[in-house]
């Protein structure tokens, strides 16, 4: 059954009390979010809309692959991936492709412009448009009781709120010693002066941090189906994500993605200046709403149990109390989704406000397919539509043009525009996407 008004009212007042109580308190910079087991390797337009790294997707030889970076960010993002310091001196990370081209949905999709190059080289096809590759710590060469070597992924987080997602896929986890992969995922801030672009400098500086208590943020276990471990991170800062081998056969990692918290980010809907204006508008709206609810007296009758009110309170939690938001997110959004399904789901043409709310809820719950369907009903062009359309013939000569400029040019050509006058809206894109 959908939640009743009394249930929504109780939740809204509980969240309001938390927001008022926590005003002015210092909030954590790293907050674990629920894992995503639905999306698998279909990441284009869903993850990596600020920065993405596929750790073993850039083909060098049949046995060696290098990281492939896809970065719609306007500025470069510094990153590094290294073994831990407890290792043999001669050893290093290995990047290898389990398969050059596959249609396995658990393998990560290749960015469309890079895919076209691979098709020309006959290493992929339009149907086999994914690459199954991982970077690993060569742990099978060490005793099971050896502490490490581990995989360390370091990243510079820009200013603002982001979601950092790392993808784990145990492609041969159904047999033999390969089943013995169970990693502890930890996150730790590192000094801003520590170089993460140089392997030698990084290992020299990170060795001392191994004894510092870390924040355990997740676990990869039984992940042959592919899973995204997600964190909300608040920059600027330098961060290292460590996958501890934990007596496993070896430690491996497939990809890492960085996204803004907002589901309508730049460059898909805004240029650089438009995005800064939009962020400012959203912050002013949240602060005005918080001042409004703070003036109301305590009591359920002063804050009505409307789903719109509860959804706005949840969005305030994202920025004001990220820890509380991460804990309440699945429960509150699931209840709201049931409410809208019961009241608007049976209607052929739902109210615009209800469609906008359902789209936001689907996005927060990582129900990306459902989110894209609702966005289509609203007439909004989705980032995945844009990403997949870059494989069309008009974008075959994009060499030398950054991802940010390429996406902005595409969005302008097809009329993806944002209106700041009435909340958020785009007019439907004309034309048709390319293959796929």
């Amino acid at each position: 059954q959908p939640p009743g008004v009394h249930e929504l009212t109780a939740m809204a007042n509980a969240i309001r009390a938390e927001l008022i109580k926590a005003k002015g308190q210092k909030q954590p910079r790293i907050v674990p979010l629920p894992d995503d087991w639905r999306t698998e390797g279909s990441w284009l337009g869903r993850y990596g809309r600020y920065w993405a790294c596929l750790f073993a997707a850039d083909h060098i030889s049949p046995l060696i692959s290098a990281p492939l970076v896809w970065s719609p960010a306007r500025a470069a993002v510094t990153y590094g991936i290294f073994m831990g310091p407890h290792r043999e001196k001669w050893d290093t990370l290995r990047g290898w492709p389990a398969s050059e081209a596959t249609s396995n949905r658990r393998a990560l999709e290749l960015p469309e412009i890079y895919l076209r190059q691979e098709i020309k080289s006959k290493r992929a096809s339009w149907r086999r448009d994914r690459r199954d590759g991982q970077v690993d710590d060569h742990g099978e060469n060490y005793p099971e009781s050896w502490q490490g070597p581990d995989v360390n992924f370091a990243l510079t987080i820009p200013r603002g709120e982001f979601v950092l997602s790392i993808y784990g896929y145990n492609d041969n986890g159904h047999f033999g010693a390969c089943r013995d992969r169970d990693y502890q995922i930890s996150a730790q801030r590192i000094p801003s002066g520590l170089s993460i672009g140089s392997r030698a400098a990084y290992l020299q500086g990170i060795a001392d941090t191994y004894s510092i208590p870390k924040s355990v943020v997740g676990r990869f276990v039984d992940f042959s189906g592919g899973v995204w471990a997600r964190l909300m991170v608040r920059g600027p800062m330098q961060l290292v994500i460590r996958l501890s081998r934990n007596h496993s056969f070896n430690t491996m990692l497939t990809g890492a993605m960085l996204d803004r918290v907002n589901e309508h980010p730049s460059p898909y809907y805004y240029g650089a200046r438009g995005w800064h204006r939009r962020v400012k508008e959203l912050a002013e709206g949240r602060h005005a709403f918080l001042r409004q609810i703070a003036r109301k007296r305590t009591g359920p009758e002063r804050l009505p149990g409307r789903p719109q009110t509860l959804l706005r309170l949840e969005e305030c939690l994202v920025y004001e109390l990220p820890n509380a938001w991460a804990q309440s997110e699945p429960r509150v959004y699931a209840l709201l989704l049931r409410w809208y399904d019961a009241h608007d789901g049976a209607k052929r043409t739902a109210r615009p406000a209800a469609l906008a709310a359902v789209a936001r809820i689907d996005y927060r719950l990582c129900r990306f397919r459902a989110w894209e369907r609702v966005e289509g009903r609203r007439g909004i062009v989705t980032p995945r539509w844009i990403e997949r359309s870059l494989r069309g013939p008009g974008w075959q000569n994009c060499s030398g043009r950054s991802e940010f400029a390429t996406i902005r040019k595409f969005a302008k050509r097809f009329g993806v525009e944002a209106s700041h006058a009435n909340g958020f809206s785009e007019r439907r894109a004309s034309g048709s996407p390319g293959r796929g």
Side-chain angles (χ1 to χ4, degrees), residues 64-261:
I64 302 176
S65 288
L68 172 64
V69 172
W70 173 257
S71 180
R74 190 170 182 83
V77 175
T78 305
Y79 80 101
I81 181 165
F82 314 99
M83 293 176 77
H86 191 215
R87 75 194 198 289
E88 299 290 350
K89 291 184 179 180
W90 51 265
D91 211 354
T92 184
L93 285 178
R94 304 178 305 165
W96 53 275
S99 61
E100 282 190 351
T102 180
S103 57
N104 181 359
R105 67 179 186 272
R106 297 176 182 89
L108 290 177
E109 296 171 319
L110 291 172
E112 302 302 324
I113 297 174
Y114 181 79
L115 173 63
R116 179 174 288 276
Q117 300 172 6
E118 294 297 279
I119 291 174
K120 288 182 179 179
S121 302
K122 298 183 179 180
R123 289 193 292 261
S125 67
W126 292 120
R127 292 184 179 275
R128 304 177 69 195
D129 58 353
R130 301 169 185 248
R131 182 158 292 165
D132 181 4
Q134 297 90 17
V135 63
D136 76 69
D137 67 348
H138 205 191
E140 66 273 18
N141 199 55
Y142 296 82
E144 186 177 307
S145 58
W146 185 281
Q147 187 175 0
D150 303 339
V151 172
N152 290 262
F153 166 60
L155 180 70
T156 299
I157 306 296
R159 183 177 298 277
E161 292 82 10
F162 292 85
V163 174
L164 174 62
S165 310
I166 61 173
Y167 186 63
Y169 168 42
N170 190 3
D171 62 320
N172 52 5
H174 294 290
F175 57 87
C178 296
R179 292 178 297 185
D180 300 329
R181 290 187 171 115
D182 184 353
Y183 315 146
Q184 183 187 74
I185 307 171
S186 59
Q188 182 179 355
R189 291 185 64 187
I190 56 178
S192 57
L194 180 61
S195 172
I196 61 177
S198 164
R199 178 176 179 271
Y202 173 80
L203 290 176
Q204 182 179 359
I206 204 66
D208 296 334
T209 69
Y210 257 70
S211 60
I212 300 176
K214 305 175 291 296
S215 173
V216 177
V217 295
R219 182 185 180 192
F220 278 165
V221 62
D222 295 335
F223 58 108
S224 59
V227 59
W228 295 88
R230 303 161 60 241
L231 309 171
M232 182 178 173
V233 292
R234 190 188 302 252
M237 66 174 172
Q238 285 198 152
L239 180 70
V240 60
I241 302 295
R242 183 173 302 143
L243 271 70
S244 300
R245 183 173 161 225
N246 193 25
H247 301 278
S248 299
F249 178 63
N250 60 9
T251 310
M252 63 185 190
L253 184 61
T254 303
M257 315 276 177
L258 193 64
D259 290 271
R260 298 187 188 274
V261 173

Side-chain angles (χ1 to χ4, degrees), residues 336-347:
L336 287 171
L337 188 61
R338 283 162 46 199
W339 192 94
Y340 280 108
D341 281 345
H343 291 81
D344 291 278
K347 300 178 182 178

